[in-house]
Amino acid sequence: MLRIHFTDRDLQNIRISRRPDPLWELICAACRLVTHQGPLEFGAWRRSVRDRLATDPVANRALHTLHTLVPPVGYIPDFLTPSVLDGGLPAALEEIRATPRSRLRSELGRLAVARPLPAWTTALGRPGDRGMRSLVKDLEISTRTLLEPRWAHVRRAIRDEVDVRSRVLLDGGVLALFESMRPLARWRAPVLEVEYPTHRDLHLDGRGLLLVPSYFCWRRPTALADPSLGPVLAYPVTARPIDSITLRDNGLQRLLGRTRASVLTEVARSGPRTTSEVATAVGIALPSASYQLAVLRDGGLMASHRDGQCVRHSVTLMGYRLLDGDAGELQPTGNTSGAS
């Protein structure tokens, strides 16, 4: 568990990143590529990336460099995710290129404790060494390989997430914002307890906290390892749009019927929805939406639960299996740590 300690000044300095952070997304995407987590959200993306790697040796080499520094489990060097609020990817990559030699030695030395590193990592940052320039180029290539196929989804997911969190913040203040992050985090004043692979404490000491919603972050938030750096908490977005249904030749429509397939797909894309929300999204009358949801629930593809005065509907594991069409990737795997 990560325990983030707030002062009154910190509570006045909570910020939410309004745009996707390309390097946080890159690091998390590198982890998702090898962990097989999130088959519905990431299964089609993983297959498309692997298809590209099979025919693109340059992308393959670049991604090998990235995975050398980004293990799916454990410590990941902080210099790979600098806090750059403006300038996008070019500015962030320039920040990495300018990382001081002393910091590179410290962070890579910590990484080397857990896994052997190739010789080129020891030369990074030395005068006249071209290793940092090559590393930055490999990060740029890996960004195109891993993120470009899904970037429209990433931007939409971050935009929707920021809209939701901003409304909560405006309506209820900082404490309501923290409460809205359950079960990822729990507010126990003056500490925010965050699900985390290791036990550590982070004292903000008036520096505030930057919240970075991430499309490729999975299951639990992650933070920088060095407590002296500007405090950042990257956390998974509430919902991720699904880019495609893998049943071929409209098999889902032929199996369920067009309207029922649309209802199931809409709820899978958007997360738990009320009957009226489903009706509006799919474009059908409220009684029809209620009937279709009941049929899907009776078939074990949908579950319904009461949330206050509303009833919300969500897709079951059986429903996700039907949508994804690939039960092999649904086998459970271990959790990751670090920036994953």
Side-chain angles (χ1 to χ4, degrees), residues 68-290:
T68 298
L69 302 181
V70 181
V73 177
Y75 172 75
I76 295 173
D78 290 330
F79 79 87
L80 293 172
T81 50
S83 294
V84 179
L85 300 181
D86 297 309
L89 181 63
L93 292 175
E94 179 59 27
E95 188 80 5
I96 290 178
R97 194 195 64 78
T99 304
R101 165 74 172 158
S102 58
R103 180 177 174 185
L104 290 169
R105 291 180 61 186
S106 174
E107 295 187 7
L108 292 174
R110 180 173 176 178
L111 179 62
V113 171
R115 62 188 314 197
L117 294 179
W120 62 263
T121 62
T122 63
L124 287 176
R126 288 179 181 172
D129 176 62
R130 298 173 60 88
M132 284 302 291
R133 183 177 299 177
S134 297
L135 173 59
V136 167
K137 184 62 177 178
D138 285 339
L139 293 176
E140 184 180 8
I141 294 171
S142 296
T143 299
R144 292 199 300 268
T145 303
L146 297 184
L147 299 187
E148 279 189 358
R150 192 58 72 96
W151 196 244
H153 294 73
V154 173
R155 292 173 59 188
R156 182 168 52 163
I158 301 303
R159 181 198 63 206
D160 292 347
E161 178 71 19
V162 171
D163 286 347
V164 169
R165 302 299 178 187
S166 298
R167 286 199 300 269
V168 171
L169 183 62
L170 289 172
D171 291 341
V174 172
L175 300 186
L177 174 65
F178 287 158
E179 286 297 322
S180 75
M181 295 186 71
R182 289 178 177 267
L184 301 174
R186 295 172 294 279
W187 174 248
R188 296 184 179 178
V191 177
L192 184 66
E193 297 180 342
V194 181
E195 292 296 326
Y196 207 69
T198 60
H199 292 282
R200 56 177 290 215
D201 288 87
L202 173 60
H203 294 267
L204 300 181
D205 295 327
R207 295 174 294 171
L209 180 66
L210 175 63
L211 297 173
V212 178
S214 169
Y215 178 91
F216 281 101
C217 188
W218 183 248
R219 295 296 187 192
R220 59 189 176 194
T222 185
L224 297 172
D226 186 347
S228 69
L229 297 173
V232 174
L233 186 69
Y235 71 93
V237 295
T238 303
R240 298 170 181 82
I242 301 169
D243 65 337
S244 64
I245 299 302
T246 58
L247 287 178
R248 297 172 179 170
D249 301 325
N250 295 317
L252 187 65
Q253 289 189 20
R254 290 190 287 114
L255 178 65
L256 299 178
R258 181 175 182 179
T259 301
R260 207 163 295 153
S262 297
V263 169
L264 183 64
T265 303
E266 173 60 30
V267 177
R269 283 197 180 104
S270 308
R273 305 296 296 269
T274 65
T275 304
S276 59
E277 288 171 338
V278 171
T280 300
V282 178
I284 57 178
L286 187 61
S288 177
S290 179

